[in-house]
Amino acid sequence: MLCIAVVGFAPLSLVRLGACAEARVGACTHPAHESAQRSWPFARFQIGLTSQPGSAGQLGPLRLRYQYLAGGVNTGKGWTTWNPDGSFVSLYIAESEAHHVVPVFSYYQIRQSLPGAGVADEATADLGNLANPSTMTAYFADLREFFKRAAGAHGPVVLHLEPDLFGYIEQHSREGNAASVPADVAASGLSGLPQTAAGFAQAVLALRDQIAPNVLVAYPISIWGTGLDIHYSHPSGAQVDQMAAKSARFYRSLHANFDLSFTEVSDRDSGYATVVDHQSGAWWRPVDFANDVRFLAGFHRRVALPIVMWQIPLGNTTLDNTPFHYRDNKVQWLLGPDGRAHLAAYVHAGLVAALFGGGQPTDTDTAHDGGYFMARARAYYRAGTLALS
């Protein structure tokens, strides 16, 4: 039996990496519609994995598991229909808690809701739905139901709010100001909030405060929302610094105190991108990881929120690039023989956890990767978890 050094939940009052009391740069302000930030529940760096219902017992030492909530809010296919009584979230939380794992939900509902679901261009679909009164009435009702379900948890629950949406808002805003992008916030039933994308973020946090104070709401950092892709654009160091500053300015324009932020390196294995999507230059090189660390550190200096890296592809370079066996090097970079130094650099930049499992459904999974990921994750815990910066 392996001797695993697992760090469990820290009391919510102990670890306040994103709160004003621990802010390392600048002063915190609390506009009228901002929420007090919740605490990240771990004092040391943790690893997590995408995890379907019924699989929490297979996570070993991992302390986090994540699941998409998707399907659209007005399509008859959303997460509230996945169980006959709408209990999907409640059951997922209960199973997670039974195995001492924090549940993480990526709430991805705007894109797949009507009428935007029928629009090919994702930005047009997202922004159109965000400003549609009927869509947003259904959206806020769906979000309220999530918070009601999550409020029954005995510990923290993480809601990763609408990956990609804020990147499109930033790209279509005037001078990086979220207040310049319209949104139907009145559909939330809350009064006094602006009818803008900034008001949308404020409304989500206000509903959380009212219904489920135990939920930590995560802001999705969008590197490409700045107009450059940190990997394919090959920016200089100075450009990376400018991207971080631009991303932080956009976040501040929301006037909303999220509890943490999410980032990603790719939503599919490099082998899949090369073989199936015929992309060139999909593989990450050391300079790409260095730029990523630099960007996150620059953002974190300006926005003192804990950062979680999300949907990291599970492939490794021993695989043969066939379905469910696509190659990648990110697990090896972060958890391989030299991974501890790489992880330490990310932790210094503000990273508090890494969640593995690519968003592309035909990517490598833990049943087909030869067990490499779980072996390396267990090795990380055996060596002792990294203290957070």
Side-chain angles (χ1 to χ4, degrees), residues 14-368:
L14 294 183
V15 185
R16 296 192 56 80
L17 297 179
C20 287
E22 293 294 326
R24 288 181 286 276
V25 177
C28 285
T29 59
H30 293 280
H33 301 298
E34 287 192 337
S35 303
Q37 290 163 314
R38 275 66 178 166
S39 305
W40 178 244
F42 299 103
R44 305 183 75 85
F45 187 87
Q46 299 296 329
I47 297 172
L49 183 66
T50 181
S51 173
Q52 297 296 316
S55 64
Q58 302 170 17
L59 296 177
L62 308 187
R63 295 296 89 200
L64 297 144
R65 66 193 295 233
Y66 85 85
Q67 164 74 44
Y68 269 93
L69 297 181
V73 298
N74 53 5
T75 63
K77 299 177 182 179
W79 67 269
T80 58
T81 70
W82 296 351
N83 291 79
D85 57 354
S87 62
F88 182 88
V89 164
S90 303
L91 294 174
Y92 193 89
I93 291 172
E95 181 194 345
S96 301
E97 292 188 332
H99 293 277
H100 309 290
V101 177
V102 172
V104 178
F105 296 96
S106 285
Y107 193 84
Y108 185 71
Q109 289 281 63
I110 285 281
R111 175 66 179 104
Q112 297 175 341
S113 297
L114 297 171
V119 177
D121 180 70
E122 188 166 349
T124 300
D126 277 9
L127 299 181
N129 279 348
L130 189 64
N132 185 297
S134 176
T135 304
M136 293 310 294
T137 297
Y139 184 93
F140 283 114
D142 190 88
L143 189 62
R144 285 178 184 272
E145 182 63 20
F146 169 81
F147 284 136
K148 290 176 183 177
R149 296 283 180 174
H154 297 99
V157 174
V158 176
L159 178 70
H160 174 205
L161 182 67
E162 293 296 346
D164 295 342
L165 173 63
F166 289 93
Y168 294 126
I169 293 172
E170 183 178 0
Q171 287 186 339
H172 288 78
S173 66
R174 290 194 300 273
E175 298 181 350
N177 186 355
S180 67
V181 175
D184 196 292
V185 181
S188 68
L190 301 171
S191 60
L193 295 176
Q195 290 283 89
T196 67
F200 165 73
Q202 295 165 26
V204 171
L205 294 174
L207 290 175
R208 183 277 309 275
D209 292 348
Q210 291 180 4
I211 303 169
N214 60 307
V215 173
L216 284 74
V217 183
Y219 167 76
I221 303 169
S222 177
I223 294 177
W224 51 264
T226 64
L228 287 177
D229 185 293
I230 205 163
H231 172 49
Y232 288 103
S233 298
H234 304 295
S236 66
Q239 286 177 307
V240 172
D241 295 340
Q242 292 168 4
M243 291 166 66
K246 185 176 181 180
S247 186
R249 283 196 301 272
F250 173 76
Y251 171 81
R252 287 195 295 267
S253 78
L254 295 170
H255 296 290
N257 272 345
F258 284 83
D259 306 300
L260 62 154
S261 53
F262 269 47
T263 187
E264 60 185 305
V265 287
S266 176
D267 68 345
R268 65 201 65 195
D269 292 303
S270 298
Y272 183 98
T274 301
V275 174
V276 179
D277 294 338
H278 306 293
Q279 296 179 8
S280 60
W283 284 88
W284 276 51
R285 300 169 298 162
V287 66
D288 298 307
F289 290 105
N291 281 341
D292 193 45
V293 169
R294 183 169 183 153
F295 172 87
L296 294 177
F299 180 87
H300 188 65
R301 282 195 301 272
R302 297 170 174 87
V303 179
L305 294 179
I307 302 172
V308 175
M309 186 177 288
W310 167 69
Q311 66 175 20
I312 307 165
L314 282 166
N316 63 76
T317 56
T318 70
L319 303 176
D320 61 4
N321 273 346
T322 57
F324 299 101
H325 296 77
Y326 290 104
R327 295 177 182 172
D328 202 90
N329 63 347
K330 297 178 185 70
V331 173
Q332 286 155 301
W333 183 267
L334 296 171
L335 299 178
D338 299 320
R340 201 165 186 87
H342 299 152
L343 274 184
Y346 270 108
V347 169
H348 187 67
L351 205 70
V352 298
L355 306 182
F356 290 81
Q360 219 298 330
T362 56
D363 279 355
T364 300
D365 61 32
T366 53
H368 296 89

